[in-house]
Amino acid sequence: MRTRPLKVALLGCGVVGSEVARIMTTHADDLAARIGAPVELAGVAVRRPSKVREGIDPALVTTDATALVKRGDIDVVVEVIGGIEPARALITTAFEHGASVVSANKALLAQDGAALHAAAEQHGRDLYYEAAVAGAIPLIRPLRESLAGDKVNRVLGIVNGTTNFILDKMDTTGAGYQEALDEATALGYAEADPTADVEGFDAAAKAAILAGIAFHTRVRLDDVYREGMTEVTAADFASAKEMGCTIKLLAICERAADGESVTARVHPAMIPLTHPLASVRGAYNAVFVESDASGQLMFYGPGAGGSPTASAVLGDLVAVCRNRLSGATGPGESAYAALPVSGMGDVVTRYHISLDVADKPGVLAQVATVFAEHGVSIDTVRQQGKDGEASLVVVTHRASDAALGGTVEALRKLDTVRGVASIMRVEGE
């Protein structure tokens, strides 16, 4: 074993960063044995240096992150500060000064992953980011290494624990959205401002990363269709149960049927109770991968939190340090396929549409005619009504989003249709 330690600079010492530092200290001997050399925490960049950080030598703490990553003796920079800047500048500076990088920064990687990979390649350094997508769940490495010889066709998953906790509570207890959100906040699953989670921004960034790796194509955050789950109601869950389904906020990345393009999207969807993702409870994450040779694979576990995310960071740290010792680098960006990323209008799936209609003869015939005129085939229809008002629930066969959009627009123009109560996609079949 080499006795000279590999030096690590830690950017950020919050929930995740403090756990990374703790594990590096408490598991130092095991890490050294696995890597082939000791690892040493050489500096910790923070915004508030006066805060007491248990187990961290105050002499290592600095507010000058730029100076830390410019040190010529740093082997690996671990970035867990999040956000776009200064993280982007710090990572590129680290490459320029000879360090490899381990990051958990999903937003930055989804927006500028290609440029960061190019910078890493230019300087002959590693960029690893297992913790950016699904916390402790090994997902990026299986996609880009274990399945490197296979053709991945679809990645379908729950990649945000906060939204899954909220939807699970609504499903199992009958709670409304706000009530479930309040409980998630009280338990620490939701931030004071939950917008990034409940509006799908967090999941969309993860979908962009997953799609890029799975399909060997550059997919940016702007390419991902995003729809939040704040409008999901108890009535939607009641309708889902009548269909033998539940509702999840899903990240879906898939190849087109002809294999010539890909799509990436995040939105609430009904999934059958028989699907493995339907049983994912609480704040857990799970990702379902479908490929030609391997068939169907599922990855499940805690997708957030200090210890789980730190576990993924340390796994990358071990891999990067091993590469450092051998003088090699691991897999970089694979974007050779360069497939076009299609818009949401090209996505084909099933739909559950709830309409408020007049309770009188001929309404169903009018509605069915509109669906037929737009080439959308109806699977089932259920109608209930009294006192001159009725609800009409239509479940379609597979149709494109564009065709469904034209259908709904035409339905709104019917005098007998009072309004469109809800539209929900049906996935996982």
Side-chain angles (χ1 to χ4, degrees), residues 23 53 57 67 79 136 223 234-235 263 286 304 312 317 325 358 367 390 393 424 426:
I23 295 172
R53 293 172 173 85
D57 183 353
E79 183 273 308
D223 295 322
T263 57
L317 179 63
L325 289 178
V367 168
V393 176
M424 186 80 65
V426 183

Side-chain angles (χ1 to χ4, degrees), residues 5 234 340 387 409:
D387 300 328
E409 184 178 351

Side-chain angles (χ1 to χ4, degrees), residues 17-374:
S18 60
E19 277 297 293
V20 170
R22 182 189 67 79
I23 295 172
M24 284 184 64
T25 301
T26 59
H27 295 180
D29 291 343
D30 286 338
L31 290 172
R34 294 166 191 172
I35 292 168
V39 287
E40 173 188 310
L41 190 59
V44 182
V46 300
R47 286 182 296 177
R48 296 185 294 276
S50 60
K51 181 179 177 180
V52 177
R53 293 172 173 85
E54 186 177 350
I56 296 178
D57 183 353
L60 297 178
V61 176
T62 178
T63 58
D64 193 344
T66 301
L68 178 59
V69 300
K70 282 184 175 181
R71 281 174 47 176
D73 63 336
I74 298 297
D75 294 289
V76 184
V77 170
V78 174
E79 183 273 308
V80 288
I81 56 178
I84 305 302
E85 292 291 0
R88 175 169 49 197
L90 291 170
I91 289 174
T92 55
T93 300
F95 292 141
E96 291 166 0
H97 287 78
S100 290
V101 173
V102 173
S103 176
N105 195 331
K106 53 189 171 288
L108 177 58
L109 288 159
Q111 179 171 307
D112 286 322
L116 294 178
H117 274 293
E121 182 178 2
Q122 177 186 351
H123 297 284
R125 293 296 177 252
D126 277 322
L127 174 62
Y128 276 48
Y129 44 91
E130 185 68 68
V133 172
I137 305 172
L139 189 57
I140 290 178
R141 192 171 285 111
L143 281 174
R144 72 178 183 180
E145 296 181 27
S146 303
L147 296 175
D150 206 344
K151 179 183 178 183
V152 176
N153 296 310
R154 198 176 198 218
V155 180
L156 172 75
I158 299 164
V159 294
N160 184 277
T162 299
T163 54
N164 198 59
F165 178 89
I166 292 170
L167 292 172
D168 185 38
K169 281 294 176 182
M170 293 176 69
D171 183 24
T172 57
T173 70
Y177 166 75
Q178 190 60 51
E179 182 183 353
L181 173 59
D182 290 343
E183 183 174 352
T185 303
L187 291 172
Y189 293 132
E191 301 287 344
D193 180 0
T195 303
D197 294 323
V198 300
E199 293 295 350
F201 291 101
D202 175 86
K206 295 172 180 178
I209 296 170
L210 288 173
I213 296 171
F215 307 132
H216 305 279
T217 291
R218 287 179 179 171
V219 180
R220 288 172 50 88
L221 181 59
D222 291 345
D223 295 322
V224 182
Y225 172 84
R226 178 193 55 79
E227 183 181 324
M229 42 76 71
T230 58
E231 301 301 319
V232 176
T233 66
D236 292 324
F237 274 103
S239 294
K241 288 180 179 179
E242 290 178 356
M243 291 179 57
C245 293
T246 188
I247 298 172
K248 300 291 186 181
L249 184 76
L250 298 178
I252 305 170
C253 314
E254 57 190 352
R255 294 181 189 268
D258 60 7
E260 297 301 315
S261 64
V262 299
T263 57
R265 51 197 166 103
V266 169
H267 54 71
M270 294 181 180
I271 58 172
L273 295 175
T274 54
H275 194 282
L277 291 179
S279 61
V280 178
R281 300 297 183 188
Y284 275 71
N285 285 190
V287 177
F288 204 71
V289 178
E290 301 175 10
S291 63
D292 276 0
S294 300
Q296 297 178 331
L297 305 171
M298 183 165 162
F299 301 84
Y300 169 84
S307 293
T309 305
S311 171
V313 170
L314 266 296
D316 279 350
L317 179 63
V318 169
V320 169
C321 286
R322 286 172 175 169
N323 291 343
R324 191 82 169 185
L325 289 178
S326 67
T329 55
E333 183 189 31
S334 176
Y336 72 90
L339 296 171
V341 183
S342 298
M344 191 63 185
D346 295 326
V347 169
V348 175
T349 189
R350 297 179 66 205
Y351 290 87
H352 175 284
I353 305 104
S354 180
L355 304 171
D356 295 325
V357 300
D359 187 15
K360 61 182 184 181
V363 172
L364 180 56
Q366 286 184 327
V367 168
T369 297
V370 170
F371 275 87
E373 288 174 347
H374 288 80

